[in-house]
Amino acid sequence: MEPVMFIKEQNDAARKKLADLEKKKGKKPNIVIFLLDDVGYMDMGFNGGGSAVGNATPDIDRYAQSGMILTSAYSQPSCSPTRATIMTGQNQIHHGIQSPPMYGQPGGLEGLTTIAQLLSAQGYTTQAIGKWHIGENEGSQPQNVGFDDFRGFLSVSDMYTEWRDPIFNPEVALSPERYEYINKLPFSKSDVHAVKGGKIENLYTIDTDNIKDLDQKWMQYGVDFLKKQKGSKKPFFLYYGTRGCHFDNYPNDYYLGRSAARTTYSDCIIEVNDIFNNLMKAIEESGEAENTVVFFGSDNGPEAEVAPHGRTPFRGAKGSTWEGGVRGPAFVYWKGMIQPRVSDGLFDFADLFNTALSLAGKPGADLAKLVPAKTYIDGIDQASFWVADNSVSNRKSVFYCWDDQISAVRVDEFKFMPIVQILNSVVQAGHIGGFSGTMQQTNGSNMFNLYTNPQEDETIGIRHIPLGVPLQAEYLRYKEVLKKYPSKTQISTK
């Protein structure tokens, strides 16, 4: 397991609050992970966007400001790697899903230990709703990796529509031969439902018309699930992944043109604000608000190769390990349990695995007993960071991954980058995001101060050599970890 900066007083304070709550409620806390798709750091009002960029997010902002806003929460560079990281507590170097599997490509959770399996073993009701995209093979489907129930789609928004849409992809949609070729590829094309241990049930085929209603249907399924938890003696774990706001956005009729920006992307932001608000209302109405912790985040930074897309104040975008690719909007809310504040403490999405199990009664190193000895857990237990008042992060560093390599490491506000993406090295026209360009090995002195230079365009590696020493030491420490627990590749960009 990754080393933790253990603070006894903070841990003791958090454990007392948790014990007092469990005594009052008679069960462990409910856990909700609400995950957006391709939403940028500055799309939400609580991070300076919202109405300022033409898509007000008043309800999301209200909950964020009543919780702990995490200004340095880190995902993997793209969606499937991040989702697998949440599920396994491993970064993409270790779980091996290093890029999104598309149109029937292999890669998934089969054989890995998941958060849903472990929470289920601790007595939790486990529910997944929405986007999956962590493997379509039977052994990787949600109902076979620990979830009691799943309603959603198995892949990603554009896979259901882009080859059908003559506006965006006439080369395929208007070619009967190419259309049929895609149609016959082995990937799910439906909104589906499944129960633990059962088979996938195809509800209906998703097309460019009915996709606009998916998020509303899933929201209602989520609201119904939450209402059923009223009075339950079992805690629940809800993993909720929205369709939005991944391209191409087909706005629900009600939300079409409703944003001030009047783009399909901003209309989608307005819709996900309402979705989140309705789910939170359902938690309140079920009487479970005081016993439910909610993590809100995006699976990566904004996708920037297809407009309209999200916004970030940082360099880079989805598909890169510049800050814009891996640092998105995030907060954790827990009524009466989390002190409202803003924290720049380091938080990795892998920490959700450890923290959830800690809240379920398996804190710290106890988690190691629940996974195979060959499994390296990259997450750390951040329960005391969330729950104790005036707390600080228990994480010393964050590692940025590219395929099966370490691209960068951050300690405090400093970031050392041995590998970088040059996003405009191949083309200069059009929308250039993190999947464009080339990868380059640096000369060893590329270091950035993310406080004074969040755009990462001024290296301080030579000016601040004393600060580079601990960064390089941490980088080399993890290189040793990889010798004992080697990288694994299921699917990558290589």
Side-chain angles (χ1 to χ4, degrees):
M1 300 177 73
E2 274 290 276
V4 60
M5 295 194 298
F6 184 77
I7 305 164
K8 186 178 185 305
E9 295 80 5
Q10 176 174 300
N11 185 71
D12 290 347
R15 286 293 144 194
K16 184 179 186 307
K17 286 179 72 173
L18 291 168
D20 290 346
L21 182 67
E22 184 174 357
K23 184 177 180 180
K24 178 181 178 182
K25 296 295 181 180
K27 60 181 179 180
K28 298 293 184 184
N30 309 310
I31 300 164
V32 176
I33 296 175
F34 184 87
L35 195 64
L36 299 167
D37 200 352
D38 289 1
V39 171
Y41 186 95
M42 213 173 69
D43 286 323
M44 302 297 156
F46 69 84
N47 273 346
S51 58
V53 293
N55 44 234
T57 54
D59 300 301
I60 289 173
D61 298 342
R62 185 176 71 256
Y63 284 105
Q65 290 155 4
S66 299
M68 180 163 62
I69 297 171
L70 300 167
T71 59
S72 288
Y74 285 91
S75 67
Q76 302 297 299
S78 63
C79 60
S80 298
T82 294
R83 292 162 197 270
T85 289
I86 293 170
M87 287 292 150
T88 65
Q90 297 182 296
N91 64 34
Q92 65 180 50
I93 292 176
H94 281 128
H95 61 60
I97 303 173
Q98 293 152 8
S99 66
M102 301 296 291
Y103 292 101
Q105 291 178 310
L109 294 179
E110 186 171 12
L112 301 174
T113 304
T114 73
I115 186 174
Q117 289 168 335
L118 297 185
L119 287 175
S120 183
Q122 298 305 312
Y124 276 68
T125 299
T126 54
Q127 174 73 60
I129 298 174
K131 176 181 174 179
W132 184 242
H133 209 190
I134 329 175
E136 292 194 34
N137 61 297
E138 190 171 353
S140 296
Q141 292 168 6
Q143 78 278 14
N144 294 321
V145 295
F147 285 101
D148 295 323
D149 188 89
F150 171 69
R151 168 68 191 275
F153 58 42
L154 292 175
S155 195
V156 58
S157 187
D158 57 309
M159 274 178 54
Y160 299 96
T161 59
E162 60 185 356
W163 52 283
R164 299 178 184 277
D165 196 315
I167 302 299
F168 296 127
N169 277 286
E171 300 91 340
V172 176
L174 298 180
S175 167
E177 296 85 2
R178 291 172 178 171
Y179 180 97
E180 193 55 30
Y181 166 73
I182 298 294
N183 194 37
K184 288 181 177 178
L185 288 177
F187 68 97
S188 171
K189 302 168 185 67
S190 302
D191 189 5
V192 306
H193 176 251
V195 296
K196 182 174 280 187
K199 298 290 185 182
I200 287 289
E201 173 193 2
N202 294 323
L203 302 177
Y204 58 89
T205 299
I206 300 170
D207 58 31
T208 55
D209 181 52
N210 60 37
I211 194 171
K212 65 186 179 182
D213 300 319
L214 272 182
D215 270 324
Q216 292 299 307
K217 291 178 179 178
W218 295 347
M219 178 192 69
Q220 190 57 55
Y221 199 84
V223 167
D224 291 344
F225 167 77
L226 292 167
K227 287 182 177 179
K228 290 175 185 175
Q229 304 314 303
K230 185 174 184 176
S232 175
K233 294 181 180 180
K234 292 181 64 175
F236 65 82
F237 168 55
L238 171 61
Y239 172 75
Y240 192 103
T242 61
R243 184 219 59 79
C245 295
H246 192 290
F247 76 88
D248 290 302
N249 284 294
Y250 297 82
N252 178 270
D253 289 344
Y254 176 79
Y255 292 96
L256 182 62
R258 191 163 287 269
S259 69
R262 295 182 181 84
T263 68
T264 56
Y265 181 86
S266 286
D267 290 348
C268 177
I269 293 288
I270 299 294
E271 182 174 8
V272 296
N273 173 82
D274 288 358
I275 290 168
F276 183 74
N277 189 44
N278 281 323
L279 293 174
M280 295 303 291
K281 281 182 179 178
I283 293 172
E284 290 273 0
E285 291 168 2
S286 71
E288 292 289 337
E290 291 181 354
N291 203 40
T292 302
V293 59
V294 180
F295 177 84
F296 175 102
S298 176
D299 59 0
N300 41 247
E303 175 283 321
E305 274 130 329
V306 178
H309 51 68
R311 307 87 162 178
T312 179
F314 305 118
R315 181 174 181 175
K318 174 184 179 180
S320 79
T321 57
W322 297 110
E323 293 296 291
V326 292
R327 194 169 162 191
F331 67 86
V332 58
Y333 171 84
W334 194 347
K335 186 176 182 179
M337 285 290 284
I338 288 181
Q339 178 188 33
R341 64 196 188 278
V342 177
S343 174
D344 196 47
L346 299 182
F347 187 88
D348 192 292
F349 277 37
D351 300 344
L352 291 168
F353 184 85
N354 303 58
T355 305
L357 268 297
S358 178
L359 297 174
K362 297 295 179 181
D366 289 351
L367 176 59
K369 302 170 186 175
L370 305 181
V371 299
K374 64 180 180 180
T375 299
Y376 190 81
I377 300 297
D378 293 290
I380 66 169
D381 181 354
Q382 295 272 37
S384 70
F385 177 36
W386 284 6
V387 174
D389 291 344
N390 304 312
S391 59
V392 296
S393 173
N394 298 290
R395 175 172 282 280
K396 176 183 178 181
S397 61
V398 166
F399 290 95
Y400 305 63
C401 306
W402 181 258
D403 283 332
D404 60 352
Q405 301 178 78
I406 307 165
S407 171
V409 58
R410 176 179 173 180
V411 176
D412 294 337
E413 71 268 38
F414 299 101
K415 180 179 179 181
F416 170 64
M417 291 193 77
I419 298 174
V420 298
Q421 295 86 13
I422 309 300
L423 307 184
N424 63 348
S425 61
V426 179
V427 295
Q428 284 74 46
H431 290 261
I432 300 169
F435 286 114
S436 304
T438 57
M439 297 292 299
Q440 291 187 17
Q441 189 80 32
T442 69
N443 285 335
S445 65
N446 284 276
M447 188 171 82
F448 303 97
N449 183 327
L450 297 177
Y451 286 168
T452 62
N453 182 225
Q455 293 79 26
E456 298 175 278
D457 58 6
E458 180 183 356
T459 179
I460 58 167
I462 299 302
R463 172 67 276 174
H464 296 295
I465 292 175
L467 294 167
V469 172
L471 281 167
Q472 292 184 40
E474 187 68 355
Y475 169 72
L476 293 173
R477 176 191 69 79
Y478 196 77
K479 296 276 279 188
E480 292 299 311
V481 168
L482 292 178
K483 290 179 182 179
K484 188 173 181 181
Y485 299 90
S487 63
K488 172 185 177 182
T489 298
Q490 297 190 54
I491 181 170
S492 75
T493 59
K494 290 182 179 179

